[in-house]
Amino acid sequence: MERAWWKEAVVYQIYPRSFMDSNGDGIGDLNGITSRLDYLKELGVDVIWLSPIYQSPNDDNGYDISDYQAIMQEFGTMEDFDRMIEGIHQRGMKLVMDLVVNHTSDEHPWFVESRKDKENPYRDFYIWREGKDGKAPNNWGSYFSGSAWQYDEATDMYYLHLFSKKQPDLNWENSKVRENVFSMMNWWCAEKGIDGFRMDVISLISKRPGLPDGPKTPEALYGYADCANGPRVHEFLKEMNQEVLSKYDLMTVGEAAGVTIEEAKRYAGFNENELNMVFHFEHVGLDGGKHGKWTDKRVPLVEFKKVMSDWQTELDGKAWNSLYLSNHDQPRSLSRFGDDSPQYRVVCAKMLGTCLHMMQGTPYVYQGEELGMTNMPFADISEVKDLDSINAYHELSEAGLISKEDMMCFIRLKGRDNARTPMQWDDSENAGFTTGTPWIGVNPNYKEINAKAALADENSIFHYYRKLIALRKETPIIVYGHYALLEPDHESLYVYTRSLEEQKMLVICNFTKEPVDYVIPEEFSGAKILITNYDRDEAKGTIEVKAYEAIVLMKE
Ligand code: GLC
Ligand code: CA
């Protein structure tokens, strides 16, 4: 397989609003990020992905952009940005920016013009339709609840918004839209020196001709089934590749809601000239139910293994995987896939990290994951800031589908704000995140779970992640080896192998707190332990895999 820096890299995602506040206004900012670059360097990550930092009215925390070439005032200035990227590059790291071009803010000048009248030169930058019998043009739902259509009085027509009504969808059919987007991207690469893009909901940019009604399945309610992987998406990405991406040495990852393995081979295929990799949603959909993610269902291990393994084996040699268990839209991975109780928190976080980082693909660490940060005990809806959770809370409780108490419970398990509480730096007030009042509550467990304590403890999750990241750099089999699942039906253990030429690796992870016996396969007799989260110096014959234990064996 051809080597590439982005295949060998580990990415760290920063949610700027919640990472580090430098000026006491309670909101994380660019100077705050710059002040913490040494921490990231020590962790050993290669790439920093920043959630959006562009000018935005913040209906969806920066995923609603009103100027793609300006910095959000709350986050700082363009000079702060220049200093930050210089600091990143000086330390040998790279910067990947979020690219949100399925939609803009309704306050973007293009939309301000577009909604004025039907003859406006920007009218066709967005998707406008006549109503049907006084109702929305079709049955599509917004991902953030309600219809995907908003009626606009000025011209007596509706515009499409797959997300909030302050996020109107751009019309990618219009070549002027594409030209504007590509020239903005070229500016960030050529003038600002960024190293790549994470492309927000890029699988949704091509809408089906005629915008037909969708089936009323749960996915369709979220606009995915009708809009994901539309007929021209690959054509658009190939054009983007030709006009922008191919001119620089970038890392590109597409957030691809609704993507299947077959589709991923097109988006991220080695010879397709589109993107380097995509984020799929299959493993984070396993604990969903009839009201989408709003349930208390746990992820079934056997299904989880099947999903991860299918992606591992089917993309091997054809396309590249991105590996993630958490991001700013998902609850904390430790609380969701593991066990965040004080007794098992540390060992379990290390197990989950091992399970993910030993796979083929590029791993993503979400801020605080390296500390074992947990979900937040939100007591009341007034503490929640995320419009997705707030809308669903009202819509589902008012429709009598889920009680308010149950909704609060589901929000504590699945709400996006679990990942958005401030980064826990130390045990001082507000976890050292701000000297002011934080924009969202700090998790009360910060006195125990924080970066300062983790750095000082050589057995911490932080230092274990540092080791996982360092191992990947010195061990090509971790990056390029072929993957095979063992024990597919085992309900507690996740066991897989990697192989590259003569080398073989065995990864054993116990996803439960009950110890389980396991017989090490014959071919691993005499193998050495590469990394483990318990004190164990050998593993041969029949072993007892302890609570949330992870063992990686290497046979040369
Ligand atoms: C993506 C982002 C999410 C945002 C949505 C709309 O899913 O990750 O945070 O709300 O797109 O832009
Ligand atoms: Ca600030």
Side-chain angles (χ1 to χ4, degrees):
M1 197 189 293
E2 217 175 297
R3 293 185 65 166
W5 68 264
W6 46 265
K7 293 180 184 165
E8 301 178 12
V10 175
V11 183
Y12 188 91
Q13 183 193 352
I14 290 181
Y15 195 67
R17 209 175 181 75
S18 305
F19 191 63
M20 182 67 209
D21 174 23
S22 71
N23 63 351
D25 66 356
I27 296 171
D29 47 49
L30 300 188
N31 288 339
I33 295 172
T34 306
S35 74
R36 296 294 184 176
L37 292 177
D38 286 333
Y39 168 83
L40 300 179
K41 185 65 193 165
E42 180 161 4
L43 183 57
V45 296
D46 310 277
V47 177
I48 296 170
W49 149 31
L50 286 190
S51 278
I53 56 169
Y54 315 94
Q55 189 175 301
S56 160
N58 278 312
D59 186 53
D60 187 20
N61 285 0
Y63 282 92
D64 48 320
I65 296 168
S66 53
D67 185 344
Y68 288 104
Q69 285 167 254
I71 302 295
M72 190 192 299
Q73 266 168 26
E74 290 173 326
F75 288 172
T77 63
M78 199 48 93
E79 288 68 48
D80 297 336
F81 174 86
D82 292 340
R83 258 197 313 279
M84 177 188 70
I85 192 168
E86 202 189 318
I88 292 172
H89 287 158
Q90 268 168 5
R91 288 168 180 78
M93 297 186 287
K94 293 181 188 275
L95 177 65
V96 162
M97 296 276 277
D98 224 301
L99 179 80
V100 189
V101 290
N102 173 69
H103 44 267
T104 67
S105 162
D106 66 338
E107 298 181 32
H108 192 290
W110 298 340
F111 191 75
V112 173
E113 285 301 313
S114 183
R115 82 191 320 176
K116 280 186 182 159
D117 60 82
K118 295 182 187 171
E119 266 45 77
N120 192 285
Y122 288 93
R123 184 66 171 181
D124 204 26
F125 267 49
Y126 295 86
I127 302 174
W128 291 97
R129 292 291 184 277
E130 306 280 352
K132 242 196 213 157
D133 316 322
K135 282 202 260 118
N138 73 18
N139 70 353
W140 295 1
S142 146
Y143 183 69
F144 294 149
S145 305
S147 167
W149 294 95
Q150 176 66 23
Y151 176 71
D152 205 50
E153 238 168 33
T155 54
D156 188 29
M157 283 175 80
Y158 289 78
Y159 65 85
L160 179 70
H161 61 90
L162 293 180
F163 294 88
S164 96
K165 58 174 186 277
K166 285 184 68 61
Q167 293 168 299
D169 281 51
L170 281 165
N171 175 19
W172 275 71
E173 303 287 325
N174 181 346
S175 62
K176 288 214 185 74
V177 167
R178 304 200 297 278
E179 275 164 33
N180 273 281
V181 167
F182 299 157
S183 94
M184 173 273 285
M185 293 172 72
N186 273 314
W187 182 82
W188 279 103
C189 297
E191 302 297 321
K192 292 282 138 186
I194 68 164
D195 307 293
F197 295 102
R198 174 271 186 187
M199 302 184 187
D200 194 63
V201 291
I202 203 71
S203 55
L204 304 183
I205 58 176
S206 164
K207 274 71 177 176
R208 304 221 142 63
L211 311 182
D213 274 351
K216 276 279 178 193
T217 62
E219 303 81 56
L221 280 179
Y222 302 125
Y224 285 176
D226 312 309
C227 294
N229 316 310
R232 295 184 71 188
V233 67
H234 298 292
E235 175 197 333
F236 293 155
L237 288 177
K238 285 186 164 64
E239 188 181 329
M240 180 194 283
N241 189 290
Q242 192 178 343
E243 298 299 321
V244 186
L245 310 179
S246 60
K247 298 186 194 166
Y248 317 91
D249 183 18
L250 302 177
M251 182 184 129
T252 54
V253 51
E255 189 205 20
V259 73
T260 59
I261 291 176
E262 282 319 304
E263 277 293 327
K265 290 181 193 162
R266 303 184 64 189
Y267 285 106
F270 292 142
N271 302 314
E272 290 290 335
N273 296 320
E274 293 186 21
L275 307 176
N276 294 151
M277 58 192 125
V278 291
F279 293 123
H280 72 78
F281 280 66
E282 277 194 51
H283 61 312
V284 293
L286 291 173
D287 50 4
K290 69 171 188 275
H291 300 301
K293 66 184 175 187
W294 306 115
T295 83
D296 56 5
K297 184 177 168 198
R298 295 276 301 179
V299 180
L301 180 64
V302 172
E303 286 173 43
F304 177 71
K305 293 195 288 189
K306 165 120 179 56
V307 165
M308 299 306 275
S309 302
D310 286 349
W311 281 86
Q312 287 287 300
T313 51
E314 296 206 27
L315 294 197
D316 190 14
K318 304 189 181 92
W320 195 246
N321 269 295
S322 58
L323 306 170
Y324 77 97
L325 291 178
S326 51
N327 62 39
H328 66 293
D329 293 327
Q330 303 294 332
R332 289 283 171 185
S333 51
L334 177 59
S335 306
R336 181 192 211 169
F337 296 96
D339 186 336
D340 60 10
S341 68
Q343 189 181 357
Y344 294 117
R345 191 182 68 81
V346 171
V347 79
C348 186
K350 293 176 182 173
M351 183 280 286
L352 289 173
T354 312
C355 186
L356 194 72
H357 282 243
M358 293 297 121
M359 291 184 186
Q360 189 190 75
T362 300
Y364 289 73
V365 180
Y366 178 68
Q367 67 183 42
E369 180 187 324
E370 78 282 11
L371 304 176
M373 280 178 63
T374 66
N375 278 354
M376 172 81 171
F378 294 109
D380 188 84
I381 191 69
S382 60
E383 297 164 26
V384 176
K385 309 287 176 203
D386 169 29
L387 83 168
D388 176 31
S389 298
I390 295 171
N391 290 354
Y393 175 87
H394 292 298
E395 187 176 69
L396 292 166
S397 67
E398 277 153 28
L401 295 170
I402 302 180
S403 72
K404 289 196 161 143
E405 293 67 38
D406 283 352
M407 258 325 274
M408 275 321 295
C409 159
F410 301 157
I411 286 171
R412 284 191 288 274
L413 292 171
K414 301 288 183 59
R416 304 198 297 180
D417 279 349
N418 287 300
R420 299 176 180 186
T421 62
M423 178 75 176
Q424 292 162 208
W425 292 107
D426 57 38
D427 61 2
S428 70
E429 204 181 343
N430 297 320
F433 163 73
T434 180
T435 53
T437 307
W439 71 277
I440 188 170
V442 176
N443 195 309
N445 62 21
Y446 73 91
K447 296 229 155 150
E448 195 197 328
I449 305 175
N450 63 65
K452 190 170 169 215
L455 284 164
D457 171 7
E458 59 173 37
N459 288 318
S460 68
I461 302 163
F462 179 92
H463 288 299
Y464 190 89
Y465 263 68
R466 210 163 51 82
K467 204 167 157 195
L468 283 175
I469 294 166
L471 270 178
R472 169 171 285 263
K473 300 220 168 97
E474 51 204 44
T475 325
I477 184 176
I478 298 178
V479 180
Y480 296 106
H482 307 292
Y483 168 104
L485 177 68
L486 305 183
E487 311 281 345
D489 300 320
H490 203 295
E491 307 224 334
S492 327
L493 296 183
Y494 191 155
V495 187
Y496 62 88
T497 61
R498 303 288 305 279
S499 51
L500 192 67
E501 286 152 21
E502 297 305 294
Q503 271 190 341
K504 252 193 138 176
M505 242 169 65
L506 179 70
V507 180
I508 307 165
C509 295
N510 185 353
F511 270 69
T512 72
K513 57 173 178 257
E514 312 308 332
V516 218
D517 283 348
Y518 178 68
V519 186
I520 305 283
E522 196 58 37
E523 55 176 325
F524 286 95
S525 68
K528 281 201 206 59
I529 293 189
L530 195 61
I531 187 168
T532 174
N533 58 352
Y534 275 84
D535 270 333
R536 175 192 283 281
D537 20 69
E538 58 168 27
K540 56 178 184 196
T542 302
I543 61 165
E544 180 179 85
V545 190
K546 302 195 189 84
Y548 301 112
E549 187 172 16
I551 308 164
V552 181
L553 292 178
M554 174 76 100
K555 178 84 185 209
E556 307 276 353

